[in-house]
Amino acid sequence: MMVIGKPFLTVEQIQNRVRELASKISDDFSGKEIVAVGILRGAFMFFPDIVRHINVPMKIDFLIASSYVKSQTTGKIAIFADIREDIKGKNVILFEDIVDTGLTLKYIYDMLLSREPASLKICTFLDKKARRKVDLNIDYIGFDIPDHYVVGYGLDFEGRFRNLPYISIFKERI
Ligand code: PRP
């Protein structure tokens, strides 16, 4: 049986924090244009929520990735679809739902950095620092969370629960 408990982060908490992050990014990039990149599938809800509140000129792009051997430490990341923008000389911000081991974002970060953007920043909705395996400098963090398995707001358990508008702690009882 799968049990979804009470919201760990409510819709209101999430939306308030998203607006705060958007305001910080708007200030930091005032007078500049950015390329906002949503990392799918996880960021499919966070990304549109935050970009609609960022008020600097921007281009929107997407990258579809997955860490397909979750249990391994080798960081085997599959890129299913790359961004389409040429980011050389551009100010790029990556938007992710969660940084866990950091392997996914490290791989994507290094790949995009080699294309010589003017700047490359990372914005994650959730940060689970307890599980980090690689060094990663995260510029914008929505919430630091403890090592619980969470679902909702883009995060899944075996593909499900991504559509919940809040974050909940997932428990599986057999
Ligand atoms: C999840 C999440 C992050 C990554 C974080 O994606 O969206 O991209 O894992 O984990 P890490 O820091 O340990 O690499 P997943 O690979 O499950 O694909 P998804 O976005 O399609 O859910």
Side-chain angles (χ1 to χ4, degrees):
M1 190 171 67
M2 295 182 292
V3 178
I4 300 296
K6 280 189 306 191
F8 177 69
L9 294 172
T10 65
V11 171
E12 194 185 4
Q13 284 174 309
I14 292 170
Q15 294 304 325
N16 286 343
R17 186 65 185 134
V18 164
R19 279 182 176 79
E20 283 174 7
L21 281 180
S23 158
K24 177 84 169 68
I25 291 171
S26 303
D27 287 348
D28 290 354
F29 287 88
S30 170
K32 294 179 179 163
E33 184 180 71
I34 64 172
V35 179
V37 178
I39 313 289
L40 302 177
R41 292 178 286 193
F44 88 98
M45 212 177 263
F46 173 53
F47 187 54
D49 275 1
I50 191 162
V51 292
R52 78 184 78 200
H53 295 295
I54 298 174
N55 50 27
V56 299
M58 71 174 73
K59 290 184 174 176
I60 297 283
D61 209 339
F62 299 95
L63 188 150
I64 308 179
S66 179
S67 49
Y68 58 91
V69 193
K70 274 284 177 209
S71 54
Q72 290 191 358
T73 54
T74 45
K76 294 231 182 293
I77 309 300
I79 304 290
F80 296 102
D82 202 344
I83 56 170
R84 287 159 63 186
E85 290 296 326
D86 176 5
I87 57 168
K88 189 172 173 131
K90 306 284 176 61
N91 297 301
V92 180
I93 308 178
L94 307 177
F95 292 88
E96 189 44 301
D97 57 330
I98 187 166
V99 180
D100 193 338
T101 64
L103 291 167
T104 304
L105 217 43
K106 171 84 176 135
Y107 183 90
I108 293 167
Y109 186 89
D110 289 347
M111 181 180 90
L112 296 183
L113 196 63
S114 72
R115 300 178 193 173
E116 301 175 4
S119 66
L120 183 57
K121 304 285 184 193
I122 294 174
C123 175
T124 186
F125 176 63
L126 298 178
D127 186 7
K128 211 192 259 186
K129 286 196 174 70
R131 286 176 42 88
R132 197 64 37 82
K133 286 182 180 149
V134 288
D135 232 9
L136 200 62
N137 183 44
I138 306 179
D139 305 280
Y140 305 99
I141 297 169
F143 296 93
D144 276 303
I145 60 159
D147 190 10
H148 296 310
Y149 199 104
V150 288
V151 294
Y153 201 61
L155 289 115
D156 71 304
F157 173 75
E158 294 180 351
R160 300 196 175 84
F161 309 114
R162 288 189 200 272
N163 60 308
L164 298 176
Y166 52 85
I167 293 282
S168 202
I169 295 174
F170 178 78
K171 296 189 183 83
E172 194 172 22
R173 292 190 193 139
I174 300 162

